[in-house]
Amino acid sequence: MEKPKTVTCTAPVNIAVIKYWGKRNEELILPINSSLSVTLHQDQLKTTTTVATSRSFQEDRIWLNGKEEDITHPRLQSCLRESESWLLVPLKKIYRNNKPTCHFFCVLYLVRRLARKRSKDGDPASDSMKLSHKVHICSVNDFPTAAGLASSAAGFACLVYTLAQVFGVEGELSEIARQGSGSACRSMYGGFVQWIMGEEDDGKDSLAQQVAPETHWPELRVLVLVASAERKPVGSTSGMQTSVQTSRLLKHRAESVVPGRMVEMIEAVQRRDFAAFAELTMKDSNQFHATCLDTYPPIFYLNSVSQQVINLVHRYNGHYKETRLAYTFDAGPNAVIYTLQQHVPEFVQAVQHFFPPETNGGEFIKGLPIEHVALPEELRQAIGLEPLAKGISYIISTKVGPGPCVLEDPTQHLLGSDGWPKKTL
Ligand code: DP6
């Protein structure tokens, strides 16, 4: 048997500080407003994907977090047989509510199509024989899927990046990642990244772009406060669809609020102005959740733990008469806190005091090590909240990080030398 060609890559999670919520085109995933995010470091949170391709593979197959996804639907199979591109649109319609499997295969189709186009344009890197070979894909997240931790963003960014390596496609790829999951286009770069909404109907100008690299603001820290590892009640795809249909506040936000905020946020990042960055971040998260409440019927992503985190942050900042912390929440109750390195130890003590952890649980703080300090009595009193036991299961401490990377070490492949998942998965 011919030895498969195998490539393994990793890709990061990103957390938006100006949120994407609402599409103007469901099939192409074109947003109603631009957005901006921070790419988190892959030492703490990442997706790893291995793609193997071989003449001897009979079918395209995919294993996500150790489980094979079903691809037996006839429409899906015909798409995979590389038929006409018109199949893609009905396919997306059929499978819209079946993310991620169908979108994974749409992305696979799009990368192959791009590779074929570029090989026709005379790029010697991709020969057409290889493009017709089937692929085996194996992908794992090192964090809870669908816990509101942007797993689809890292997953699709990783898939697109790895397939592009396998098929020898270079250049702009955020347009394809976007069609897997909107926020995935921002995980194609490290540092601070904007997704420019674009104007064209075909989405060619709806792309991600780096605003500043990961080295730009070394003191910036990110703490993920994991409130619940349960599945979120309303997925972001269907949630934002209902918001677009029913919320006038969302329309106002997209047309009249976000354009100005994008300019201010880019300036705050460029100046490394934490207070400006933090205030915009909190206001934008609050407005996004206000549009969820303005959706009819309303959508609730925040719970009592999220509310306690919001109060904690405002009382902490109020005590110091300085904006030292910012919170932001996506489509789930987990809080993501942005702060500067020097404030991390004290804030973590405050979290441990106001959310007493389970004593028999595993480690409470994961990721970058945090120095132990005492919680000042006057701060504890100024915050003055009633402790909420076991509200937060753990904290992931991380920082700004780079974009997707290729893993050169073959021992890190998730598929064995025969192209099948390793037994240990
Ligand atoms: C709240 O990118 O998951 O995290 O495009 O439908 O796949 P689809 O949605 P998705 O939405 C993310 C929404 C958000 C805000 C953000 O990341 O900007």
Side-chain angles (χ1 to χ4, degrees):
M1 193 188 87
E2 184 200 52
K3 202 169 172 299
K5 176 183 176 181
T6 307
V7 179
T8 301
C9 301
T10 64
V13 166
N14 73 77
I15 300 291
V17 289
I18 301 290
K19 304 291 185 194
Y20 146 57
W21 196 252
K23 299 179 184 64
R24 64 179 200 276
N25 180 318
E26 293 277 338
E27 272 72 48
L28 292 172
I29 309 197
L30 301 177
I32 59 169
N33 60 260
S34 296
S35 54
L36 196 144
S37 60
V38 177
T39 297
L40 306 193
H41 206 287
Q42 295 174 58
D43 282 352
Q44 282 74 46
L45 296 163
K46 64 175 180 303
T47 294
T48 306
T49 301
T50 298
V51 176
T53 176
S54 163
R55 185 198 310 272
S56 63
F57 293 166
Q58 305 287 308
E59 266 182 297
D60 289 312
R61 302 178 78 142
I62 187 162
W63 291 264
L64 300 181
N65 293 312
K67 182 177 160 286
E68 183 163 13
E69 296 291 325
D70 182 27
I71 54 152
T72 50
H73 195 286
R75 273 315 252 287
L76 195 49
Q77 284 296 325
S78 47
C79 174
L80 295 172
R81 274 198 298 274
E82 286 301 297
S83 15
E84 301 305 315
S85 62
W86 55 261
L87 260 173
L88 196 62
V89 171
L91 185 87
K92 278 198 165 185
K93 280 202 176 120
I94 292 170
Y95 284 94
R96 183 158 37 204
N97 297 319
N98 192 15
K99 200 168 71 168
T101 315
C102 114
H103 284 228
F104 264 104
F105 284 101
C106 290
V107 159
L108 171 57
Y109 173 86
L110 290 168
V111 178
R112 275 191 176 131
R113 193 173 67 173
L114 190 64
R116 185 156 294 146
K117 185 175 172 295
R118 296 207 179 152
S119 77
K120 266 192 210 137
D121 293 347
D123 181 349
S126 47
D127 68 77
S128 50
M129 266 309 287
K130 290 257 162 57
L131 287 175
S132 61
H133 291 174
K134 300 296 178 200
V135 293
H136 284 182
I137 301 165
C138 192
S139 185
V140 294
N141 294 329
D142 65 0
F143 50 91
T145 304
L149 284 177
S151 55
S152 65
F156 281 110
C158 203
L159 177 67
V160 171
Y161 193 80
T162 316
L163 286 170
Q165 300 289 325
V166 169
F167 295 134
V169 182
E170 284 171 5
E172 171 52 48
L173 295 166
S174 73
E175 191 194 342
I176 297 182
R178 187 199 77 219
Q179 294 179 68
S181 184
S183 55
C185 69
R186 299 186 311 238
S187 278
M188 296 301 282
Y189 298 96
F192 301 80
V193 185
Q194 64 170 326
W195 172 11
I196 301 168
M197 63 178 286
E199 289 172 358
E200 306 293 334
D201 288 342
D202 63 4
K204 291 273 179 259
D205 58 351
S206 188
L207 305 169
Q209 195 179 69
Q210 191 179 62
V211 169
E214 62 270 22
T215 49
H216 172 70
W217 201 346
E219 306 80 30
L220 194 68
R221 289 290 176 276
V222 188
L223 300 168
V224 183
L225 275 43
V226 180
S228 143
E230 284 161 29
R231 275 193 164 259
K232 54 192 177 193
V234 179
S236 40
T237 306
S238 65
M240 68 176 79
Q241 214 173 355
T242 320
S243 297
V244 169
Q245 285 159 5
T246 62
S247 171
R248 288 178 65 179
L249 179 59
L250 181 65
K251 191 170 153 57
H252 166 72
R253 163 183 163 73
E255 286 170 6
S256 309
V257 182
V258 173
R261 268 189 193 161
M262 284 294 292
V263 175
E264 287 176 57
M265 185 57 98
I266 291 170
E267 283 171 6
V269 167
Q270 282 167 346
R271 289 198 311 271
R272 290 188 282 267
D273 178 343
F274 186 78
F277 169 84
E279 280 158 37
L280 283 164
T281 296
M282 291 187 277
K283 287 180 180 173
D284 201 72
S285 171
N286 293 341
Q287 191 180 61
F288 154 51
H289 291 280
T291 67
C292 292
L293 194 61
D294 190 49
T295 298
Y296 193 82
I299 306 167
F300 307 98
Y301 288 124
L302 306 181
N303 62 15
S304 58
V305 175
S306 325
Q307 280 165 21
Q308 171 111 326
V309 171
I310 293 173
N311 286 331
L312 174 60
V313 166
H314 285 292
R315 291 181 191 195
Y316 185 104
N317 288 340
H319 175 70
Y320 287 109
K321 298 187 176 57
E322 188 182 46
T323 308
R324 295 185 176 184
L325 305 167
Y327 53 78
T328 186
F329 299 84
D330 285 334
N334 298 334
V336 176
I337 304 290
Y338 288 102
T339 188
L340 298 175
Q341 194 178 4
Q342 70 258 36
H343 306 311
V344 169
E346 195 185 72
F347 175 67
V348 167
Q349 282 309 310
V351 172
Q352 274 179 293
H353 179 84
F354 292 105
F355 296 95
E358 228 169 334
T359 42
N360 60 347
E363 46 173 359
F364 188 64
I365 299 160
K366 301 176 198 274
L368 295 176
I370 298 171
E371 192 196 333
H372 182 85
V373 294
L375 182 66
E377 184 54 26
E378 63 279 10
L379 174 63
R380 192 184 65 73
Q381 280 184 12
I383 293 173
L385 294 164
E386 194 57 45
L388 204 73
K390 299 178 211 159
I392 291 175
S393 41
Y394 57 93
I395 298 178
I396 305 168
S397 154
T398 185
K399 57 183 183 178
V400 187
C405 333
V406 180
L407 296 183
E408 304 291 352
D409 175 4
T411 64
Q412 293 181 298
H413 290 327
L414 302 174
L415 297 165
S417 53
D418 57 355
W420 290 85
K422 289 182 178 172
K423 290 268 168 358
T424 50
L425 266 178

